[in-house]
């Protein structure tokens, strides 16, 4: 049979009571058929138990076989009275029922003692007295006048009894009388000469509150016999043990005479003993436990023997029954099971639980106690002092497997012979207590400022001395920083973008809260530590040149170098960054120009004859990139348009004519934010088809309209200002551009800059990054 340990302990308790201890119950004689006498609870898993009634002493059919039903995981047995039950305390006041309980392979037997109590409210006349024929008594004609002839036993106290039938002479020699104790007295004249007569007496029994019943007594007067009834043996003392069950034989008396009958005449009524009317066997009728009935130690019995047909011919015998004490019952303990729970912080010496044990055989005797551990087998956390279970050692639940369920037994021994024991199961559950607050070590994490969201920065390692040690939840105090901590494992993640130029470091307070470390689920302890997050600088801003577009006119001498302009660039977000590299990436045909740092130099040393007669224009693209250890290296492109005019004698001195951008045409930074939307695929298909149809119709209409506009625009040739987009930067669709001032070039006169090839604007393609020139009137483009 496989049972959980607590259930096994409970079953052991029930079985031990069933085997070692008898149940004593008191039942009123007024209980009728079907009444429940006793209920039993059994644990028997996974088997189906049985409960049987083996026998009843004295034999009777008043008890049904026990029933056994399952209720909420346990089995409940019941003992009930049968349909033929008619309990009468005056007839039999004690029954012994032997029960057998079977659970799997384990069979246990026990006794149920039923004491029948008289019901003072039972106001009915029972037995032959209440029958139509009535109770028949026989007396000798030589009976002494005014002596008791019969005692009427009725339930209840304080009943009044009167003879209501007529007792008129000459048939009656004199009136019979009955007193309040139910004793029928002979007439004062006696019954001499009334042999063979029969006197019928109607008796009215009146109880309190107007309740009454009637019965009949028939008195037969017998003539005197010549024979004599006598006992051959003399008075004797009989010693019996107190553990005799009711119905056990005590002794047997024998009297000489014809058809002799026996009865106990003293004490009347006799609660402990009865005698068989025919064979004279004296038997016990109730338990003889001296602890419960000390007066049962010595009983003096007077037995009367008489002939059945002549009851006046009788003899009496006196003898004494001594009851000897026997160590019959093991000690009884309350409670029968010690089950409790204590916190792990319980101090040494604290009382865990108390119980009381007594010896039913010898109240007040000294008992011995022994503590036996079952799990763990060698536990020293508990001890037993003077019958009190207390804590003997420090309890600790902060290690795996340390918080235990202590199961033990207390063995209680009495001092009788033979010694008897009782085992009290003990179940002590040690519950955890949240004693310590979680802690963690302050740490420093480093992260690049271009790290993406959800980047793992590191972990906060929290520790807790309470078991389990990893039951910690993490959180960040305050929610303004772009960081989050995983509540389960303490991992710190990045939530949003970082900017080294805005904030170089963060100090976060991480809160640690423990859980599941106390019997009370609402009991928590918390701690905290500080982590520092340092942002590493990343080159994320390209240089900006002021101005981004220059247009210069240079009067050059043959064979001489000339500084044209200085390219001035900076990083507005990082003013401390001053190291830049400069390189001409376009427009430097014949290598006429070179850079000395940020200075653009025109070199005519390689210029050979013939000397050009006309001016020449160079459109130079200068890439400016940041230098230094920071990566990646970002760059921007500055545009410098240089008009080289050869020096002539008529020209005064070599000079540079710089075209400046008017204040009203200052380059303007335009920021365009594109919203990204990812529609459903079916919507894209529908939108594409619809747009294609609209564009076909709109394209035809615009082609007709543009032909007319082109003719009108070609007729007008006045100069127009152009927009130059110097660089395009941004994240997720952000575009930054610069609007340039218009430039005018002419190869004929250095003092006037006219439109070159009708391209009056310059821009940069947003997809490829290539620069191109465009005509604002016609829309024509030329890639550089």
């Amino acid at each position: 049979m496989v049972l959980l340990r607590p259930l096994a302990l409970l079953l052991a308790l029930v079985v031990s009571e069933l085997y070692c201890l008898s149940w004593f119950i008191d039942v009123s004689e007024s209980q009728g058929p079907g009444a429940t006498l006793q209920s039993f609870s059994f644990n028997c898993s996974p088997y189906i138990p049985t409960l049987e009634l083996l026998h009843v002493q004295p034999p009777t059919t008043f008890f049904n076989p026990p029933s056994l039903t399952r209720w909420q995981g346990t089995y409940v047995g019941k003992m009930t009275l049968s349909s033929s039950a008619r309990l009468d305390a005056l007839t039999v006041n004690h029954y012994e029922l032997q029960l057998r309980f079977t659970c799997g392979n384990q069979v246990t037997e026990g006794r149920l003692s039923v004491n029948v109590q008289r019901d003072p409210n039972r106001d009915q006349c029972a037995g032959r007295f209440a029958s139509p024929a009535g109770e028949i008594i026989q007396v000798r004609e030589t009976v002494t006048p005014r002596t008791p002839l019969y005692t009427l036993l009725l339930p209840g106290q304080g009943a009044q009894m009167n003879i209501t039938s007529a007792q008129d002479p000459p048939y009656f020699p004199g009136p019979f009388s009955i007193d309040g104790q139910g004793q029928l007295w002979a007439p004062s004249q006696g019954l001499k000469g009334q042999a063979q007569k029969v006197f019928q007496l109607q008796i009215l029994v009146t109880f309190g509150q107007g309740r009454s019943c009637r019965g009949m007594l028939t008195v037969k007067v017998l003539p005197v016999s010549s024979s004599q009834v006598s006992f051959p043996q003399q008075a004797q003392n009989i010693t019996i043990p107190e553990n005799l069950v009711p119905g056990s034989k005590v002794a047997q008396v024998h009297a000489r005479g014809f058809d002799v009958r026996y009865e106990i005449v003293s004490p009347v009524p006799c609660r402990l003993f009865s005698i068989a009317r025919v064979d004279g066997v004296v038997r016990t009728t109730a338990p003889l436990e001296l602890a419960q009935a000390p007066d049962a130690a010595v009983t003096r019995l007077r037995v009367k023997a008489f002939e059945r047909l002549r009851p006046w011919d009788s003899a009496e015998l006196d003898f004494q029954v001594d009851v000897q004490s026997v160590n019959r019952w093991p000690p009884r303990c309350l409670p029968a099971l010690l089950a409790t729970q204590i916190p792990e912080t319980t101090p040494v010496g604290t009382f865990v639980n108390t119980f009381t044990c007594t010896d039913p055989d010898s109240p007040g005797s000294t008992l011995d106690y022994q503590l036996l551990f079952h799990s763990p087998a060698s536990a020293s956390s508990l001890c037993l002092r003077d019958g009190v279970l207390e804590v003997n050692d420090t309890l600790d639940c902060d290690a795996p497997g340390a918080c235990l369920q202590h199961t033990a037994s207390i063995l209680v021994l009495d001092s009788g012979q033979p010694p008897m024991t009782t085992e009290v199961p003990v179940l002590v559950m040690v519950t955890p207590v949240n004693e310590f607050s979680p802690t963690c070590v302050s740490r420093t994490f480093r992260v690049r400022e271009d790290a993406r969201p959800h980047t793992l920065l590191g972990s906060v390692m929290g520790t807790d001395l309470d078991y389990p040690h990893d039951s910690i939840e993490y959180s960040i105090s305050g929610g303004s920083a772009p960081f989050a901590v995983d509540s389960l494992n303490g991992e710190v993640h990045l939530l949003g973008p970082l900017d080294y130029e805005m904030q170089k470091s963060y100090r976060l307070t991480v809160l640690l809260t423990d859980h599941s470390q106390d019997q009370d689920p609402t009991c928590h302890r918390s701690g905290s530590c500080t982590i520092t997050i340092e942002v590493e600088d990343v080159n994320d801003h390209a240089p900006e040149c002021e101005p981004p577009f220059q247009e210069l006119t240079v009067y050059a001498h043959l064979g001489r170098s000339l500084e044209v302009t200085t390219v001035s660039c900076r990083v507005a977000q990082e003013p401390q960054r001053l190291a830049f590299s400069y390189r001409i990436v376009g427009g430097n045909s014949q290598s006429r120009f070179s850079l000395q740092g940020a200075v653009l130099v025109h070199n005519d040393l390689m210029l050979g004859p013939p000397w050009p007669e006309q001016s020449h224009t160079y459109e130079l693209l200068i890439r400016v990139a940041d230098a230094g250890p920071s990566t990646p290296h970002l760059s921007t492109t500055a545009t410098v348009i240089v008009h080289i005019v050869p020096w002539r004698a008529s020209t005064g001195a070599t000079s540079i004519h710089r075209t400046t951008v008017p204040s009203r045409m200052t380059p303007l930074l335009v920021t365009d934010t594109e919203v990204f939307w990812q529609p459903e695929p079916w919507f894209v298909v529908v939108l594409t088809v619809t747009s294609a149809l609209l564009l076909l119709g709109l394209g035809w209409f615009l082609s007709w309209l543009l032909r007319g506009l082109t003719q009108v625009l070609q007729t007008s040739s006045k100069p127009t200002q152009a927009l130059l987009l110097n660089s395009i930067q941004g994240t997720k669709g952000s575009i930054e551009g610069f609007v340039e001032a218009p430039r005018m070039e002419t190869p004929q006169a250095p003092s006037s800059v006219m439109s070159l090839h009708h391209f009056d604007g310059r821009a940069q393609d947003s997809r490829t990054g290539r620069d191109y020139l465009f005509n604002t009137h016609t829309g024509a483009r030329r890639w550089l």
Side-chain angles (χ1 to χ4, degrees):
M1 177 173 60
V2 180
L3 293 174
L4 295 176
R5 185 61 183 171
L7 296 180
L9 292 175
L10 182 58
L11 179 58
L13 173 63
V14 174
V15 170
S16 64
E17 287 189 355
L18 193 63
Y19 179 77
C20 300
L21 303 177
S22 296
W23 285 292
F24 294 88
I25 61 174
D26 295 331
V27 179
S28 174
E29 64 181 353
S30 62
Q31 293 289 338
T36 300
L37 301 180
Q38 180 73 10
S39 297
F40 312 92
S41 295
F42 302 99
N43 286 309
C44 183
S45 176
Y47 302 100
I48 299 178
T50 58
L51 184 62
E52 305 172 76
L53 176 61
L54 300 181
H55 58 80
V56 180
Q57 189 66 31
T60 182
T61 60
F62 289 175
F63 302 97
N64 286 323
S67 63
L68 192 62
T69 59
R70 183 179 178 88
W71 182 76
Q72 293 186 354
T74 61
Y75 290 91
V76 178
K78 290 184 179 180
M79 286 298 305
T80 58
L81 293 177
S82 67
S83 59
S84 63
R86 299 293 185 271
L87 299 179
D88 189 351
L90 297 179
T91 303
V92 179
N93 61 1
H94 185 82
Y95 295 94
E96 290 283 346
L97 284 70
Q98 188 72 18
L99 302 175
R100 175 187 292 167
F101 175 74
T102 303
C103 179
N105 296 328
Q106 186 170 0
V107 179
T108 312
E109 294 186 4
R111 282 196 309 272
L112 176 62
S113 298
V114 181
N115 295 320
V116 181
Q117 304 290 331
R118 294 190 63 183
D119 187 359
N121 297 322
R122 191 175 185 183
D123 55 359
Q124 60 180 1
C125 299
R128 288 181 295 179
F129 170 72
S131 65
E135 181 74 28
I136 300 175
I137 60 175
Q138 297 175 344
V139 297
R140 292 177 297 177
E141 62 178 345
T142 58
V143 67
T144 304
R146 296 295 300 170
T147 58
L149 303 178
Y150 177 78
T151 301
L152 179 62
L153 299 179
L154 292 174
Q157 299 292 335
Q160 296 181 359
M161 289 170 275
N162 299 306
I163 300 175
T164 59
S165 60
Q167 302 185 62
D168 300 331
Y171 188 78
F172 280 83
F176 292 85
S177 63
I178 188 169
D179 58 17
Q181 284 73 36
Q183 289 184 338
L184 181 66
W185 297 83
S188 58
Q189 295 82 0
L191 296 176
K192 191 66 173 178
Q194 304 297 323
Q196 305 300 329
K197 280 189 176 183
V198 177
F199 302 99
Q200 291 186 343
L201 304 176
Q202 293 285 344
I203 299 177
L204 174 64
V205 182
T206 303
F207 304 93
Q209 300 179 356
R211 298 172 298 173
S212 63
C213 63
R214 294 179 181 273
M216 179 180 292
L217 285 178
T218 301
V219 180
K220 292 183 178 181
V221 182
L222 302 177
V224 178
S225 175
S226 59
S227 64
Q228 185 68 33
V229 177
S230 63
F231 288 96
Q233 67 267 34
Q234 299 298 322
Q236 57 182 344
N237 293 336
I238 301 173
T239 302
I240 61 174
E242 66 172 341
N243 60 351
L244 289 180
V245 298
S248 300
K249 181 179 178 180
V250 176
Q252 184 176 11
V253 297
H254 179 73
R256 298 188 182 97
F258 176 75
D259 198 7
V260 178
R261 296 293 184 265
Y262 303 91
E263 65 180 2
I264 297 176
V265 296
S266 178
V268 177
C270 186
R271 182 176 60 87
L272 300 177
F273 303 96
S274 65
I275 189 170
R277 291 178 62 88
V278 177
D279 56 9
V281 176
V282 180
R283 298 182 183 273
T284 60
T285 58
L288 303 177
E289 290 86 355
L290 297 179
Q292 298 181 1
D295 57 343
V298 177
T299 303
R300 290 179 174 85
L301 297 178
R302 176 174 293 177
V303 177
K304 176 182 177 182
F306 58 92
E307 292 185 359
R308 184 176 66 85
L309 298 178
R310 295 183 300 186
W312 59 84
D313 188 3
S314 62
E316 294 181 351
L317 175 67
D318 294 330
F319 62 94
Q320 179 176 307
V321 179
D322 297 326
V323 179
Q324 185 179 9
S325 176
V326 176
N327 192 19
R328 180 183 178 192
W329 305 108
R332 295 180 181 177
C333 299
L334 290 176
L337 169 66
L338 297 181
T340 185
Q341 62 181 18
I342 57 176
E344 62 172 324
T345 55
T346 303
V348 175
T350 302
F351 290 169
V352 177
N353 212 331
T354 60
F355 62 101
T356 303
C357 296
T358 58
D359 188 357
D361 300 310
S362 179
S365 62
T366 303
L367 301 175
D368 294 330
Y369 302 89
Q370 296 180 7
L371 182 61
L372 305 177
F373 285 98
H374 301 309
S375 175
S378 59
S380 60
S381 302
L382 304 175
C383 66
L384 194 65
R385 290 190 178 94
D386 301 328
V388 177
L389 189 65
E390 62 182 43
V391 178
N392 188 48
D393 197 0
T394 302
L395 305 174
D396 188 11
C397 290
D398 299 327
C403 207
L404 296 176
Q405 172 179 295
H406 296 271
T407 57
S409 296
I410 298 177
L411 196 63
V412 185
L413 301 92
D414 61 13
S415 55
Q417 293 296 328
M420 303 194 75
T421 62
T422 295
E423 185 175 356
V424 180
V426 178
L427 177 61
V428 179
M429 176 67 74
V430 181
T431 59
V433 176
N434 194 358
E435 304 175 77
F436 307 99
S437 299
T439 60
C440 61
V441 179
S442 299
R443 299 189 60 185
T444 300
F445 303 119
R446 290 179 173 81
V447 58
R448 291 168 54 91
E449 67 172 326
D450 61 347
R452 296 182 178 181
H454 308 294
T455 299
L456 175 61
L457 307 184
S459 298
V460 178
M461 303 301 295
T463 57
D464 196 337
L465 297 180
D466 292 308
Y467 183 81
H469 305 299
D470 57 350
S471 296
I472 301 176
E473 292 183 357
Y474 301 85
S475 62
I476 293 179
S477 177
S480 59
F483 303 96
V485 62
D486 193 300
S487 61
L488 298 180
N489 54 29
E491 294 182 349
V492 180
H493 294 268
L494 176 65
L495 292 182
L498 300 174
D499 193 344
Y500 176 83
E501 290 71 33
M502 296 295 295
Q503 188 169 354
K504 297 179 176 59
S505 65
Y506 298 84
R507 291 179 62 86
L508 305 178
T509 300
V510 179
L511 300 180
L512 289 77
T513 304
D514 57 17
H515 62 87
S516 304
Q517 294 175 335
D518 195 281
Q519 182 71 8
D520 182 6
T522 63
C523 180
H524 304 285
R525 285 180 175 267
S526 60
S528 64
C529 62
T530 302
I531 62 173
T532 302
I533 300 178
E534 296 181 354
V535 182
E536 296 181 349
D537 187 21
V538 175
N539 189 13
D540 55 350
H541 297 287
E544 299 178 1
C545 297
E546 294 292 340
F549 172 79
Q550 300 184 52
E551 187 171 4
L552 308 172
T553 301
V554 178
Y555 295 91
H557 291 272
L558 179 63
R560 296 175 58 184
S561 297
L562 178 66
E563 292 185 4
V564 177
T565 185
T566 300
V567 182
S568 177
C569 299
R570 66 186 181 92
V571 179
Q573 295 81 0
E574 304 177 47
Q576 75 279 4
R577 185 172 297 173
L578 301 176
F580 301 102
S581 62
Y582 302 87
R583 184 165 62 92
I584 301 174
V585 296
N588 189 13
S589 61
Q590 299 179 355
S591 301
R592 296 286 184 171
F593 296 89
S594 63
L595 286 170
Q596 297 179 0
V599 178
L600 179 64
V601 179
H602 176 257
N603 189 359
D604 275 346
L605 296 178
M606 300 301 296
L607 183 62
W611 179 257
E613 296 293 334
Q614 297 181 350
S615 62
H616 190 75
T617 299
Y618 296 90
E619 298 178 8
L620 302 178
L621 300 179
I622 302 176
R623 183 177 299 275
V624 182
D626 51 13
S630 299
T631 58
H633 295 290
L634 303 180
S635 63
T636 188
T637 302
T639 303
V640 179
I641 299 177
V642 182
H643 303 285
I644 302 297
V645 180
W647 181 85
R648 295 185 178 87
S650 59
T651 305
T654 302
S655 63
I656 299 176
H657 177 74
R658 183 185 304 270
T659 300
T660 59
V661 179
S663 59
R664 60 185 180 86
M665 296 301 293
T666 301
L668 178 64
L669 178 64
V670 179
T671 302
D672 184 17
T673 302
E674 296 183 1
V675 180
F676 178 80
W677 176 53
Q678 184 177 1
E680 297 292 335
W682 63 268
F683 183 78
V684 175
V685 175
V686 174
L687 184 62
T688 303
V689 175
T690 305
S691 301
L693 295 177
L694 291 176
L695 290 176
L696 287 176
L698 184 61
W700 178 83
F701 174 75
L702 292 178
S703 63
W704 176 81
L705 183 61
L706 288 176
R707 283 197 299 269
L709 291 176
T710 302
Q711 295 177 359
V712 174
L713 292 176
Q714 288 179 352
T715 57
S716 61
S717 60
K718 57 182 181 177
T720 307
Q721 296 179 348
L723 177 65
L724 176 62
L725 300 178
N726 181 46
S727 62
I728 300 174
Q729 299 180 359
T731 305
K732 296 183 179 179
S734 297
I735 302 175
E736 298 181 357
F738 294 92
V739 178
E740 295 182 338
R743 59 180 174 81
M744 302 185 65
E745 299 179 355
T746 176
Q748 298 176 358
S751 59
S752 62
V753 180
M754 304 298 292
S755 175
L756 181 63
H757 302 297
H758 301 290
F759 294 105
D760 54 357
R762 178 186 179 88
Q764 189 179 53
D765 186 69
S766 61
R767 296 180 178 275
T768 62
R770 294 184 57 188
D771 294 303
Y772 62 89
L773 301 177
F774 63 90
N775 188 299
T776 57
H777 298 287
T778 63
R781 296 184 181 184
R782 181 169 66 85
W783 294 97
L784 298 178

